[in-house]
Amino acid sequence: MTPPHRTRLTFHGPLSETRADALVRRLTRHHPTTVLDIGCGSGELMLRILAAAPEATGTGIDLDADDLARGRKAAEDRGLASRARFVEESATGTTRGPADLVLCVGSSQALGGRLPDALKELRRLVTDRGRVLLGEGFWQRTPTPDELSRMWPDAAVTDHPDLATLISTAIDAGFRPEWTETASLDEWEEFESGYLADTEVWLAEHPRHPLAEETRQRVDRHRARWLTYRGVLGLAYLTLVPTA
């Protein structure tokens, strides 16, 4: 028996149902017929968009076979299998675009290189009258050296821009920000708690399992990191319009 993992998460990121509903309404307002989801995971947001845009087809790209399998099952369960494809491949240099709507939520690294390069790729992948939803990390304030030492391995101030720089970088890459919003602390806490909850309960119920000590160390390490970046690292949801 292995510890359960992520069964309480709807989205693999700090995204509430209220914000997801608002995003779907906004992103389908211009009636996209093609949707491309970079680093899609199980493709929950893409599937909701397809449900709200019955003329649209969607392609999700990811390297995680388990997440892709969950996405295919969800598409089948919702009657969307004929309009949703989940492809196991790298997004770097992808030829899957251009699409009317490109989703890239927490996945700009999948496009390779630095953020400016990823944004240039997103401009290439979206049609001229389309939209991009970019979910990207930013520093809500500059972290201290001590905080950085307790985040992810080799964490550095240069890992993320501040919000103003993030938006300026998007503009420089050929976009205008139609809508700017950021994940709330409640959304972060729901996500991070949900990410660990199943495993925490398993540890409480199986303290002497052969996998318990290794699992306990991993979970404690993850929790310590997110409690360090809590309130320091933000996530922006930018709805971007390509410039002519």
Side-chain angles (χ1 to χ4, degrees), residues 174-188:
F175 294 102
R176 300 299 301 183
E178 178 182 7
W179 209 268
T180 300
E181 53 195 309
T182 62
S184 68
L185 186 57
D186 286 346
E187 287 174 301
W188 273 107

Side-chain angles (χ1 to χ4, degrees), residues 18-179:
T18 298
R19 192 183 307 280
D21 289 345
L23 285 170
V24 170
R25 288 193 299 271
R26 186 180 313 120
L27 296 172
T28 56
R29 190 170 294 147
H30 72 296
H31 305 293
T33 59
T34 50
V35 182
L36 177 63
D37 193 350
I38 303 294
C40 64
S42 61
E44 178 66 26
L45 188 58
M46 181 182 78
L47 292 177
R48 294 187 184 203
I49 287 168
L50 294 182
E55 301 302 315
T57 60
T59 301
I61 301 174
D62 206 292
L63 293 174
D64 190 313
D66 291 339
D67 279 347
L68 292 168
R70 283 191 286 271
R72 293 185 190 105
K73 183 178 186 307
E76 184 71 33
D77 291 345
R78 301 179 201 185
L80 297 170
S82 65
R83 296 196 285 126
R85 296 181 62 206
F86 289 88
V87 183
E88 185 178 352
E89 65 183 27
S90 170
T92 303
T94 182
T95 59
R96 299 284 176 180
D100 295 332
L101 173 59
V102 181
L103 309 176
C104 185
V105 178
S107 300
S108 63
Q109 71 280 356
L111 295 172
R114 301 157 48 249
L115 178 60
D117 300 323
L119 280 159
K120 289 177 182 177
E121 272 291 274
L122 290 171
R123 181 62 187 89
R124 178 182 71 83
L125 291 170
V126 66
T127 56
D128 288 341
R129 295 183 178 274
R131 296 290 187 276
V132 169
L133 176 67
L134 175 67
E136 188 68 24
F138 70 96
W139 295 126
Q140 298 188 69
R141 63 167 174 80
T142 303
T144 66
D146 177 64
E147 287 170 334
L148 287 168
S149 72
R150 292 184 284 116
M151 293 184 188
W152 49 89
D154 301 318
V157 171
T158 53
D159 288 347
H160 298 287
D162 60 23
L163 184 58
T165 302
L166 172 59
I167 294 174
S168 294
T169 305
I171 292 172
D172 290 344
F175 294 102
R176 300 299 301 183
E178 178 182 7
W179 209 268

Side-chain angles (χ1 to χ4, degrees), residues 223-241:
R223 186 191 323 100
R225 287 172 179 169
W226 88 259
L227 288 175
T228 299
Y229 64 69
R230 177 182 182 272
V232 182
L233 177 65
L235 186 75
Y237 294 101
L238 304 182
T239 302
L240 302 175
V241 185

